[in-house]
C-alpha cells in the first residue's frame, strides 16, 4: 500500500511540480525579503540561489553559503535520526512528541522540504504526524501551540463567515478537512484542540495522493466544549463555553458551508471526528447540496469492507463466501454503523438478496450490549441493525460481548467502540471457538491505548491463525519458531487520500454522481 501511495504521490508531484528544488510558484510572488523567508510555502531557507536572493531582496538576510535542497534534506534527516538515538529508552509519549515537534517546526518553516521528507519516509513518519501521535498532540495542543495552521471559525463569528473565508491567502482550495472537535479519535471532546486531526489528515492527502499542499485547508469549527478540564485550563485556546446544540449548532455549520462553497464551489469538505449525532445529521443535510463526505462514517466503511473481503481471501475461500460470514461489530457509533451499512450493501449485492436478508449475519453491540428490537429508547440510527429476539437464540437484549462471542462463534469480531482493552483475554480466548478456521479480529479504535486489544494479546489468546488488523499501528508479533503474526492496519487513511485524488480530478457535479452511483 505504501509503495502504491508513494508511486501515486511521486507521479502527481512530478506532474504538478518538479520537486528537486522547490515548488514552482503557481502565480507571481508579490512578497519580498523577510516575508518570503517567513512564508513556509515559498521559503527555501539557505537553498535560495544567489540570483534569486538578488531578485527577491534576500541578499544579506541569509548566511552567504547556498546549501542545496539535497543537503538540507540530509541535514534534517540527520537531526531526526540523532533525536531518535538521543531519546532511546525514554517514555513513548515523550519520544513521539519530540518527533512531532521537529517535523512540525519544519512544516512551519519550509513546506517543500517537509513534504519531501514526509513522502520519502511515509511509513516512519505517518505515526508521528497522524495516528496515534496526533491524538497526544490534540490533547496537549494549547500548550504546544506556537503558530496557527488552517482556519478557525467559532460561534462568536456568526454572521461574519462569508467575509472571513476571504482571509485565507490561497486563491484556490480543493480539499478541506473540518472538525468540531467533539469526538477526537477515542479521546472524546477536545474542543478547539481537535484542529490537529484536520492537519494530520491533510498531510496524508499531500503525502499519499500528491494533492497540492497550497490547495488544502484544515478547519476548526469551535462551537464550545463540554470538556470540563479544558474549560478550566487557563491556557485553553478555544471558546470557554458549553457546546452549542440543536438549531444554534446547525446554524453555525450551515453558515460555514455556505461561505466555503461561495468562495470555492468545487472544494470537497471532509467531515472528521464529529460526535455521531452530528456526523449523521450533517451528512444527510449537506450530501445532496455540497461536495462533502464523512470520513468516519464512509471512509472507515470502505477500509473495513476491504479488510473483511481480504479476510475471506486469506481463508482461501471465494469472495462470494463473504455472504456466509457471521460478523460482530462492537460499537454502534458513526464508524460502527457506517461499516454495517456498507457491509450489508456489499453482501446484498454479492448474494443478490435484499438488505433485510443480508443483515441476518451482522450483530451489533453498544455500551449497553447486544442491540435488539426489544431495546427501550432504541437509537434510530442503530435501529436498522437491531436484531429480532427470535433471530438470536440463546441471547437477549443487552447480552454482553462474551455471551455474544461464545454463543454466536463469529467469523469476525470488529471493534469500533473507542474502549481500550474491551477484547480482553476471555473474549479473545472465546474466539478460538469461532466457526472460522481463520477468525478475524479487527481492533479498529484509536489511538493505541483505545484499541480493543493489542496485536500481541490477540495472537496470544485467540491463536496464531487469526487475521489481525488494527486502527493504530502495531508491530508484527513474533510467534516463536521463526513465525510471524502479521499486523494489518485498518485505518481510513488508506482510503481518503484516494477520494481526494479522484474527486479533485473530476468536477464537483461528477463527484456527486459518483457518490450517487455507489449509493454512498
Ligand atoms: N480505524 C479507523 O479508520 C477508524 C475510523 C473511525 C473511527 N475509529 C475509532 O472508532 C472509535 C469509535 O468511533 P465512533 O465515531 O464510532 O465513536 P462514537 O462515539 O460515535 O461511537 C462509539 C460507540 O461505542 C459504543 N461503546 C462504548 N462503550 C462500549 C462498550 N463497553 N461496549 C460496546 N460498545 C461500546 C458506544 O455506545 C457507541 O455506540 C474511536 O476510537 C475512533 O477513533 C477508527
Ligand atoms: O484518525 C484516524 O486515525 C482514523 C479515524 O478517522 C478515527 O477517527 O479514529
Ligand atoms: Mg476520524
Amino acid at each position: 500500500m505504501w509503495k502504491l501511495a508513494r508511486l501515486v504521490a511521486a507521479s502527481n508531484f512530478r506532474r504538478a511540480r518538479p520537486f528537486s528544488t522547490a515548488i514552482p510558484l503557481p502565480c507571481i510572488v508579490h512578497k519580498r525579503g523577510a516575508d518570503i523567508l517567513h512564508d513556509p510555502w515559498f521559503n527555501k531557507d539557505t537553498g535560495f540561489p544567489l540570483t534569486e536572493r538578488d531578485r527577491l531582496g534576500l541578499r544579506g538576510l541569509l548566511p552567504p553559503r547556498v546549501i542545496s535542497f539535497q543537503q538540507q534534506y540530509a541535514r534534517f534527516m540527520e537531526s531526526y535520526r540523532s533525536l531518535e538515538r538521543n531519546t532511546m529508552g525514554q517514555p513513548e509519549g515523550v519520544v513521539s512528541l519530540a518527533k512531532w515537534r521537529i517535523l512540525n517546526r519544519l512544516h512551519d518553516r519550509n513546506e517543500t522540504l517537509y513534504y519531501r521528507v514526509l513522502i520519502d519516509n511515509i511509513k516512519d513518519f505517518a505515526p508521528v504526524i497522524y495516528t496515534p501521535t496526533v491524538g497526544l498532540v490534540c490533547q496537549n495542543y494549547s500548550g504546544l501551540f506556537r503558530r496557527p495552521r488552517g482556519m478557525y471559525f467559532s460561534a462568536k463569528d456568526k454572521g461574519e463567515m462569508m467575509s472571513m473565508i476571504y482571509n485565507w491567502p490561497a486563491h484556490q482550495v480543493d480539499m478541506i478537512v473540518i472538525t468540531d472537535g467533539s469526538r477526537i479519535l477515542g479521546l472524546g471532546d477536545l474542543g478547539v484542540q481537535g484542529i490537529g486531526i484536520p492537519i494530520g489528515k491533510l498531510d496524508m492527502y499531500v503525502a499519499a495522493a500528491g494533492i497540492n499542499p497550497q490547495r488544502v485547508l484544515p478547519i476548526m469549527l469551535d462551537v464550545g466544549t463540554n470538556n470540563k478540564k479544558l474549560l478550566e485550563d487557563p491556557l485553553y485556546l478555544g471558546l470557554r463555553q458549553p457546546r452549542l446544540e440543536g438549531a444554534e449548532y446547525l446554524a453555525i455549520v450551515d453558515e460555514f458551508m455556505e461561505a466555503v462553497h461561495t468562495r470555492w464551489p468545487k472544494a470537497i469538505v471532509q467531515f472528521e471526528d464529529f460526535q455521531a449525532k452530528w456526523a449523521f445529521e450533517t451528512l444527510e443535510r449537506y450530501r445532496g447540496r455540497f461536495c462533502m463526505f464523512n470520513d468516519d462514517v464512509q471512509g472507515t466503511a470502505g477500509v473495513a469492507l476491504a479488510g473483511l473481503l481480504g479476510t475471506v481471501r486469506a481463508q482461501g475461500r471465494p469472495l462470494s463466501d463473504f455472504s456466509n460470514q457471521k460478523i460482530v461489530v462492537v460499537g454502534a457509533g458513526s464508524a460502527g454503523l457506517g461499516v454495517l451499512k456498507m457491509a450489508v450493501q456489499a453482501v446484498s449485492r454479492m448474494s443478490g438478496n435484499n438488505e433485510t436478508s443480508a443483515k441476518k449475519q451482522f450483530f451489533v453491540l453498544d455500551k449497553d450490549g447486544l442491540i435488539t428490537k426489544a431495546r427501550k429508547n432504541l437509537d434510530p440510527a442503530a435501529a436498522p441493525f437491531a436484531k429480532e429476539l427470535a433471530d438470536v437464540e440463546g441471547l437477549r437484549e443487552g447480552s454482553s460481548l462474551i455471551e455474544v462471542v461464545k454463543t454466536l462463534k463469529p467469523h469476525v469480531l470488529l471493534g469500533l467502540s473507542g474502549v481500550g482493552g474491551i477484547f480482553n483475554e476471555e473474549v479473545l480466548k472465546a474466539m478460538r471457538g469461532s466457526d472460522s478456521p481463520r477468525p478475524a479480529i479487527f481492533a479498529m479504535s484509536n489511538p493505541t491505548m483505545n484499541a480493543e486489544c493489542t496485536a500481541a494479546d490477540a495472537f496470544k489468546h485467540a491463536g496464531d491463525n487469526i487475521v489481525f488488523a488494527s486502527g493504530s499501528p502495531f508491530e508484527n508479533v513474533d510467534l516463536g519458531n521463526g513465525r510471524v503474526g502479521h499486523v494489518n492496519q485498518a485505518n481510513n487513511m488508506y482510503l481518503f487520500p484516494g477520494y481526494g485524488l479522484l474527486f479533485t480530478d473530476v468536477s464537483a457535479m461528477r463527484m456527486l454522481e459518483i457518490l450517487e452511483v455507489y449509493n454512498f
Side-chain angles (χ1 to χ4, degrees):
M1 173 67 202
W2 286 120
K3 241 188 217 156
L4 179 69
R6 276 177 55 177
L7 272 178
V8 172
S11 63
N12 275 288
F13 267 116
R14 267 201 300 278
R15 197 150 41 98
R17 60 185 73 88
F19 213 49
S20 58
T21 50
I23 299 167
L25 310 180
C27 57
I28 293 166
V29 189
H30 296 290
K31 288 185 178 175
R32 282 180 64 77
D35 284 347
I36 289 189
L37 297 181
H38 294 149
D39 186 334
W41 282 353
F42 302 120
N43 183 26
K44 296 182 192 175
D45 286 319
T46 44
F48 283 106
L50 296 178
T51 46
E52 278 184 15
R53 293 182 187 203
D54 277 340
R55 189 151 45 81
L56 299 171
L58 294 170
R59 220 172 229 257
L61 299 184
L62 289 162
R65 172 100 189 277
V66 176
I67 302 287
S68 71
F69 186 79
Q70 287 72 15
Q71 286 171 305
Q72 290 182 39
Y73 182 105
R75 186 174 58 189
F76 176 82
M77 289 308 295
E78 177 43 35
S79 313
Y80 190 86
R81 297 297 172 216
S82 105
L83 173 90
E84 279 184 323
R85 287 191 295 275
N86 297 337
T87 52
M88 233 176 246
Q90 291 192 27
E92 211 180 306
V94 173
V95 179
S96 316
L97 274 187
K99 288 180 176 175
W100 176 84
R101 270 198 205 90
I102 182 173
L103 278 162
N104 185 250
R105 281 200 300 268
L106 181 61
H107 198 183
D108 282 347
R109 200 176 69 236
N110 181 337
E111 286 208 358
T112 311
L113 186 55
Y114 174 73
Y115 284 115
R116 184 74 265 166
V117 299
L118 185 54
I119 289 166
D120 289 353
N121 301 278
I122 188 74
K123 203 162 179 235
D124 270 4
F125 290 172
V128 181
I129 55 109
Y130 183 74
T131 302
T133 305
V134 71
L136 199 54
V137 170
C138 290
Q139 286 176 306
N140 294 286
Y141 176 79
S142 294
L144 291 169
F145 181 87
R146 295 295 177 274
R147 295 184 62 152
R149 178 166 290 278
M151 287 193 82
Y152 302 77
F153 291 83
S154 90
K156 295 266 182 309
D157 297 317
K158 193 159 184 337
E160 302 297 329
M161 294 185 196
M162 194 61 87
S163 57
M164 281 169 72
I165 198 80
Y166 287 89
N167 289 343
W168 185 247
H171 291 299
Q172 188 54 48
V173 164
D174 295 331
M175 198 63 231
I176 288 173
V177 178
I178 183 171
T179 187
D180 69 354
S182 56
R183 192 289 275 146
I184 295 298
L185 307 178
L187 303 170
D189 180 353
L190 293 183
V192 81
Q193 305 196 155
I195 181 70
I197 292 289
I199 294 171
K201 296 265 172 190
L202 285 164
D203 273 356
M204 297 303 288
Y205 271 100
V206 175
I211 304 291
N212 184 339
Q214 293 186 11
R215 289 179 169 220
V216 302
L217 174 54
I219 301 264
M220 159 49 61
L221 204 59
D222 182 359
V223 295
T225 177
N226 295 338
N227 183 326
K228 208 162 161 281
K229 203 168 144 222
L230 292 181
L231 288 172
E232 286 166 3
D233 178 354
L235 283 184
Y236 177 61
L237 289 167
L239 284 188
R240 295 165 79 109
Q241 65 174 53
R243 280 188 175 277
L244 293 187
E245 287 295 340
E248 275 187 309
Y249 173 88
L250 283 173
I252 297 287
V253 195
D254 281 350
E255 188 178 330
F256 167 77
M257 291 300 276
E258 289 294 345
V260 84
H261 283 95
T262 301
R263 181 161 184 204
W264 301 296
K266 291 187 178 176
I268 300 156
V269 182
Q270 169 172 332
F271 278 61
E272 190 69 51
D273 289 9
F274 284 67
Q275 58 185 309
K277 67 174 178 183
W278 293 128
F280 294 128
E281 169 106 26
T282 49
L283 185 56
E284 282 319 303
R285 194 173 179 87
Y286 303 123
R287 65 188 303 172
R289 287 167 57 205
F290 301 115
C291 305
M292 59 81 64
F293 68 99
N294 184 297
D295 181 43
D296 299 293
V297 179
Q298 296 164 299
T300 312
V303 162
L305 180 59
L308 292 172
L309 293 173
T311 300
V312 178
R313 209 173 43 188
Q315 291 167 346
R317 308 185 80 91
L319 277 189
S320 55
D321 200 53
F322 183 47
S323 319
N324 303 320
Q325 304 253 316
K326 268 176 288 174
I327 297 171
V328 170
V329 175
V330 185
S334 64
L337 294 179
V339 169
L340 277 165
K341 187 171 178 215
M342 193 179 274
V344 166
Q345 281 172 3
V347 170
S348 165
R349 284 182 196 194
M350 286 168 88
S351 62
N353 294 332
N354 63 26
E355 289 197 6
T356 312
S357 148
K359 273 177 199 156
K360 289 226 157 76
Q361 68 193 74
F362 294 93
F363 304 82
V364 60
L365 289 85
D366 68 0
K367 62 179 179 3
D368 300 318
L370 181 68
I371 302 182
T372 70
K373 295 246 169 17
R375 180 168 295 196
K376 293 198 182 77
N377 303 323
L378 179 58
D379 174 3
F385 306 102
K387 305 306 282 187
E388 296 287 357
L389 283 178
D391 291 338
V392 284
E393 211 185 313
L395 294 170
R396 60 189 159 77
E397 160 55 35
S399 283
S400 68
L401 176 56
I402 186 68
E403 288 169 336
V404 169
V405 171
K406 281 188 171 163
T407 308
L408 294 173
K409 306 183 190 314
H411 298 76
V412 178
L413 182 59
L414 188 154
L416 280 162
S417 64
V419 185
I422 196 177
F423 295 173
N424 57 26
E425 185 174 338
E426 197 187 4
V427 169
L428 291 171
K429 281 188 171 156
M431 280 301 284
R432 286 180 182 256
S434 159
D435 281 340
S436 166
R438 290 203 70 187
I441 296 177
F442 287 9
M444 289 181 66
S445 289
N446 296 314
T448 316
M449 68 179 175
N450 295 72
E452 282 76 10
C453 64
T454 64
D457 279 352
F459 284 100
K460 183 169 160 202
H461 300 308
D464 294 355
N465 59 336
I466 60 166
V467 175
F468 180 81
S470 53
S472 298
F474 282 100
E475 294 292 333
N476 284 341
V477 178
D478 181 357
L479 299 175
N481 300 328
R483 289 165 318 130
V484 174
H486 289 282
V487 173
N488 306 282
Q489 200 178 355
N491 188 298
N492 49 35
M493 73 174 169
Y494 289 103
L495 205 52
F496 62 73
Y499 289 166
L501 185 59
L502 173 65
F503 296 140
T504 51
D505 269 359
V506 297
S507 74
M509 285 320 292
R510 182 81 187 105
M511 171 181 169
L512 290 177
E513 280 165 27
I514 290 171
L515 294 180
E516 200 58 35
V517 166
Y518 288 99
N519 193 12
F520 216 45

